[in-house]
Amino acid sequence: MRRPQRPDDRRNDSAAAGPAAAAPVEGPAGNLPAELTAFVGRGTELAALTEVLTAGRLVTVTGVGGVGKSRLAVRAAAAVRPRDGAWLVELDSVRDPDLVEHALAGALGLTDHTSRSPRQVLLDRLAGRELLLVVDGFEHLVAAAASLVRDLLLRCPDLRVLAAGRRPLDLAGERVFPLAPMAEPDAAALFTDRASASLPGFALDGGHRAEVLELCRRLDGIPLALELAAGRLRALSPGQLLARLDDRFRLLAGARRDLLPRHQTLRTAIGWSHELCTAQERLLWARLSVFSGPFDLDAVEYVCSGDGLLAEEVLDVVDELLAQSVLTREESPTGVRYRMLDTVRAYGAEWLRATEDTARMRRRHRDWYMGLATWCELDWFSPRQAEVATLVECELPNLRAALEFCLTEPEETYLGQYLAGTLWFCWVGCGRLAEGRHWLDRAVDLESEGGVGEQSRLKALWVLGYVAILQGDTVPALCALQECQETAERTGSAVAAAYAVHRLGCLALVSDDMPRAERLLRTALDEYRRIGELNSNVLMGQVELAMALAFQGSLGDAVELCEDVRQVCEDHGERWTLAYALYVLGYAAWTRGEPELARELVTRCLDLDHTFHDLLGTVLAVELLALFTAAEGDAAEAAVLQGVASRIWPSVGLPLFGSEYFGGPHALCEARARERLGDELYEAQLRAGALLPPDAAVARALRRGRAATPGVPRGRRGTPAEGQGPQTREPAASPTRKGGETAG
């Protein structure tokens, strides 16, 4: 018996297969189709699948439609072809569950004219055979396919099964092999290979590299999407393809005659998964399209429940969408999270728009992430500070989506201003000054109504001023802070007025006007005490006052202020502000002629700043450590550290704020290093430092610091030394008496 083989677009390059002999199972060959196009990439996955296949009797390759499950499965089957062959049975076109057994018998070339059932014939004929069965496209017949595979494995001990589908068979002993989209290099290689077939001479290095890599990213590395896109190069350039990807389902409607009907277009490939979903699964799929990047179960239960989907049902529906490869599961530093490919999300978004529920779902999404940002701001002043930094890093894509929604909907403006201001700790404390500036500029450019809206705008204004100061952009900072101060005084907002005065003092500090800085910062701190405000910003005001005093020569007063900050930080588990207090204490120790203590303090400061990815604190600490290193006689290493700083400053803003006071250690270090090394060698070492990746450079500075100061003393009251993190997960004391700015 012979059967014509259909082309199988479910493989990663959608290769077509010509007629292949389906010899009876007694023969030694099998019926795996020949490959008509190159098998590109997937080397790691192929090796891993082959290894799993040799160790298990049932392996199922799962993944989203068009990801290349079938092509990989057939290639792996060919690599481990057993004595009696590897045999492919394609179930795509089978609709009746009762015909699954007939389809398998036909693929194996078995004929039987008795009254026995096809299942019994299969069990009898396969018993004792050493055979690999590749079952492809079973997801719409999963119950029937699973029942047959289970019986075959139980009765035929030398049989192995390699299945390929959008979900597992859920059988005992099954080894699931999730197939992710292609990595960028493989995706680019596949696109280039298929593009050269449509457009002879096309090459990745032909001026299209950046556009092709962006196409691969936007198309999620899905082989089918990449191949369909490559086919469009007959009419469009890579740049034109990119410009039209917002309507990817219309753009990637291929005309490949060798593809199965469900893969003729990207829409039908994803739509087939949609057809296999229940009503609840389709509903959740659509609602999940409002998320951006990874998200967790708590967010899904809040945002997506209601109107046809109870909160207590969400977990079961999520689990089913994971099983069907609509969602993927990933581990993160904050726990289990889920992700949806952009292509899958775009399909869900179309269905959400069709139900006219997009605006409501985006508001619910916004509400969840507004609440999350508010609680993170509160927890920033607590032992959970490092956890907050990690969480916000994971949630940034969704926080951005919430900000975009608020700042593009007129009635949501004040909420966007609130959110942009509330995330000050992310912009300032977690090394995202440039992104914070982007959102804050947009937020304050919009008008908001009085009352709550006015308070939100005031907060956005002082945070904008703060960010601009740290970037060295003094004119916009002054404008924002003056507007904040004037409006706060006019409306009676004592909290906003105190923050405006505080940040004006900070502006004077980096502008080298130390008497004015001292006066304004003392005024702000007095007002904070009057209104009961205590949080990281208040403590930072105290550190900034200490800086102003230290620069004016009042080292004793500066040290007293920073020691007080250390004590409060110990009491509350605060580590971010502590790092800046250690910086000032290190500067004071150096000025007093205590170099070992100075290095110890600044090394601990750098460790903390790097933990939070605080680029400003990191680069300031590196600048001081460079000076200490030069004073120790290692001018070459000091120049390297200055090179490290030169690489970091452009990501922060104006180097050393253009300040003579902050720039003093840098100038002294450079003068000493140049004197010892000479200009040529100094510049060479500077370039070497600038080439070091930031993480490696910081690790280098920390290793030297710890080697120089092997004994790290414990903090006061027998508590662990700063930088070791909180030793308890108990909640900190209430950070403010009135909530104040910490509560937004």
Side-chain angles (χ1 to χ4, degrees):
M1 176 178 178
R2 298 177 67 85
R3 181 175 69 90
Q5 298 296 301
R6 295 190 320 277
D8 185 6
D9 67 349
R10 298 155 60 83
R11 304 159 196 138
N12 82 9
D13 67 349
S14 307
V25 75
E26 287 81 354
N31 70 338
L32 298 183
E35 295 178 338
L36 297 184
T37 57
F39 184 88
V40 178
R42 295 292 200 197
T44 301
E45 293 92 332
L46 180 61
L49 178 57
T50 303
E51 182 178 350
V52 173
L53 187 57
T54 56
R57 294 187 61 212
L58 172 59
V59 178
T60 303
V61 182
T62 62
V64 70
V67 80
K69 301 180 293 294
S70 300
R71 183 71 184 268
L72 184 68
V74 169
R75 175 57 74 102
V80 299
R81 191 188 300 263
R83 182 190 66 203
D84 294 315
W87 298 80
L88 172 67
V89 54
E90 298 168 312
L91 299 179
D92 297 86
S93 60
V94 178
R95 292 290 176 271
D96 188 343
D98 293 336
L99 296 180
V100 171
E101 298 161 1
H102 293 277
L104 177 54
L108 292 169
L110 299 179
T111 57
D112 187 88
H113 300 292
T114 70
S115 60
R116 293 184 302 170
S117 68
R119 180 170 303 208
Q120 190 59 51
V121 172
L122 287 166
L123 293 172
D124 291 344
R125 299 291 290 276
L126 296 183
R129 300 290 181 183
E130 187 180 315
L131 181 144
L132 174 62
L133 186 63
V134 182
V135 181
D136 186 29
F138 62 83
E139 52 272 326
H140 59 303
L141 302 163
V142 64
S147 172
L148 177 57
V149 168
R150 182 189 62 243
D151 287 355
L152 289 172
L153 290 172
L154 288 172
R155 294 279 298 276
C156 307
D158 294 322
L159 174 72
R160 282 181 291 162
V161 175
L162 174 58
R166 305 187 188 201
R167 58 167 304 137
L169 287 163
D170 290 329
L171 292 175
E174 179 180 26
R175 300 188 180 205
V176 179
F177 188 93
L179 184 59
M182 299 182 91
E184 186 177 278
D186 284 354
L190 177 64
F191 181 88
T192 303
D193 181 82
R194 302 308 188 254
S196 63
S198 299
L199 193 66
F202 182 89
L204 189 59
D205 58 357
H208 304 299
R209 175 177 292 275
E211 293 169 336
V212 168
L213 293 179
E214 180 65 10
L215 272 169
C216 294
R217 187 191 66 79
R218 294 276 304 277
L219 293 174
D220 300 306
I222 298 176
L224 174 64
L226 294 169
E227 293 197 355
L228 292 172
R232 285 296 192 189
L233 290 183
R234 286 190 295 264
L236 300 171
S237 70
Q240 288 173 312
L241 273 172
L242 272 175
R244 293 169 179 260
L245 271 190
D246 286 342
D247 193 3
R248 66 185 65 194
F249 295 115
R250 179 177 296 179
L251 176 67
L252 304 182
R256 291 273 301 277
R257 297 184 180 88
D258 61 335
L259 301 182
L260 289 171
R262 292 193 192 99
H263 283 183
Q264 289 288 340
T265 71
L266 185 61
R267 184 188 300 277
T268 54
I270 305 301
W272 175 233
S273 292
H274 197 260
E275 288 182 31
L276 298 175
C277 289
T278 65
Q280 278 193 326
E281 292 158 10
R282 293 177 186 179
L283 180 63
L284 183 57
W285 181 346
R287 291 177 176 178
L288 288 173
S289 67
V290 299
F291 287 97
S292 181
F295 46 89
D296 62 19
L297 182 61
D298 289 339
V300 176
E301 288 177 332
Y302 176 85
V303 175
C304 299
S305 62
D307 293 336
L309 184 61
L310 298 177
E312 55 267 29
E313 297 172 330
V314 167
L315 175 58
D316 290 336
V317 182
V318 165
D319 189 60
E320 189 59 29
L321 290 179
L322 286 165
Q324 298 192 55
S325 304
V326 175
L327 292 177
T328 57
R329 178 187 187 274
E330 60 184 44
E331 296 288 344
S332 79
T334 61
V336 174
R337 303 177 78 78
Y338 314 113
R339 184 183 293 272
M340 183 180 282
L341 295 177
D342 286 346
T343 300
V344 177
R345 179 182 291 108
Y347 193 91
E350 285 192 354
W351 279 81
L352 189 62
R353 285 193 295 271
T355 62
E356 299 183 348
D357 202 24
T358 301
R360 184 180 72 88
M361 294 309 302
R362 291 192 70 186
R363 283 193 296 272
R364 287 182 66 85
H365 176 274
R366 184 274 322 283
D367 290 345
W368 174 263
Y369 287 99
M370 289 272 290
L372 183 140
T374 300
W375 280 109
C376 282
E377 185 187 27
L378 286 167
D379 270 358
W380 184 256
F381 189 61
S382 80
R384 295 175 294 280
Q385 197 172 52
E387 297 171 28
V388 168
T390 301
L391 177 60
V392 169
E393 181 70 22
C394 291
E395 295 289 11
L396 263 178
N398 282 298
L399 290 166
R400 290 168 181 150
L403 280 163
E404 186 67 31
F405 174 68
C406 292
L407 298 179
T408 52
E409 296 290 331
E411 296 181 356
E412 310 285 340
T413 296
Y414 76 98
L415 294 174
Q417 292 169 338
Y418 169 85
L419 185 54
T422 296
L423 288 170
W424 69 266
F425 62 92
C426 176
W427 316 139
V428 175
C430 301
R432 294 191 173 275
L433 290 174
E435 180 170 355
R437 182 69 181 276
H438 165 79
W439 293 113
L440 290 159
D441 278 336
R442 286 183 60 182
V444 302
D445 280 346
L446 300 172
E447 295 295 330
S448 58
E449 298 179 1
V452 176
E454 193 168 67
Q455 296 305 308
S456 295
R457 179 178 172 77
L458 287 174
K459 185 170 186 178
L461 281 168
W462 74 253
V463 175
L464 171 59
Y466 187 13
V467 169
I469 289 168
L470 299 183
Q471 291 180 312
D473 203 358
T474 57
V475 173
L478 182 60
C479 292
L481 293 172
Q482 285 179 338
E483 181 183 348
C484 179
Q485 183 181 26
E486 292 167 2
T487 307
E489 290 173 352
R490 175 173 52 81
T491 59
S493 177
V495 172
Y499 277 91
V501 172
H502 174 180
R503 291 307 158 198
L504 285 168
C506 181
L507 179 57
L509 176 69
V510 301
S511 302
D512 289 346
D513 188 347
M514 297 306 153
R516 175 176 168 79
E518 180 183 351
R519 184 175 67 256
L520 290 171
L521 289 168
R522 288 191 186 279
T523 300
L525 290 170
D526 288 343
E527 185 64 9
Y528 287 146
R529 282 190 288 271
R530 187 187 70 81
I531 62 178
E533 190 83 350
L534 178 62
N535 54 44
S536 297
N537 272 304
V538 174
L539 292 180
M540 189 62 78
Q542 196 166 327
V543 172
E544 289 158 353
L545 175 58
M547 288 180 181
L549 293 172
F551 288 147
Q552 295 178 89
S554 300
L555 291 180
D557 291 340
V559 168
E560 184 178 353
L561 282 168
C562 286
E563 289 293 354
D564 182 65
V565 170
R566 287 180 77 172
Q567 184 64 63
V568 177
C569 286
E570 287 178 5
D571 292 343
H572 290 273
E574 216 279 0
R575 290 292 178 268
W576 174 67
T577 310
L578 173 62
Y580 286 88
L582 293 172
Y583 171 86
V584 178
L585 290 170
Y587 176 87
W590 166 261
T591 306
R592 290 195 309 259
E594 302 176 80
E596 291 185 2
L597 177 59
R599 177 175 281 280
E600 174 196 320
L601 291 165
V602 178
T603 297
R604 290 156 64 192
C605 163
L606 175 60
D607 198 4
L608 287 170
D609 284 323
H610 190 57
T611 298
F612 288 106
H613 306 291
D614 182 346
L615 294 181
L616 175 61
T618 295
V619 72
L620 287 173
V622 169
E623 292 278 10
L624 271 187
L625 289 172
L627 173 60
F628 301 166
T629 303
E632 292 162 0
D634 193 346
E637 182 66 11
V640 168
L641 290 177
Q642 286 201 313
V644 169
S646 73
R647 175 171 178 163
I648 300 175
W649 275 116
S651 298
V652 176
L654 180 63
L656 294 159
F657 316 112
S659 161
E660 290 187 10
Y661 285 97
F662 282 95
H666 178 94
L668 180 58
C669 176
E670 180 178 347
R672 290 185 175 183
R674 283 187 185 275
E675 182 181 358
R676 292 200 177 198
L677 299 174
D679 290 342
E680 185 176 348
L681 183 54
Y682 172 80
E683 295 291 346
Q685 293 297 98
L686 199 69
R687 289 192 296 271
L691 292 175
L692 286 174
D695 286 347
V698 170
R700 179 171 175 163
L702 289 173
R703 281 196 301 272
R704 181 180 180 91
R706 287 166 182 153
T709 57
V712 179
R714 296 179 67 82
R716 301 183 195 176
R717 301 180 184 173
T719 58
E722 294 87 352
Q724 296 180 0
Q727 302 300 304
T728 175
R729 293 176 61 87
E730 291 298 316
S734 176
T736 70
R737 292 201 295 268
K738 298 183 179 180
E741 200 64 29
T742 301

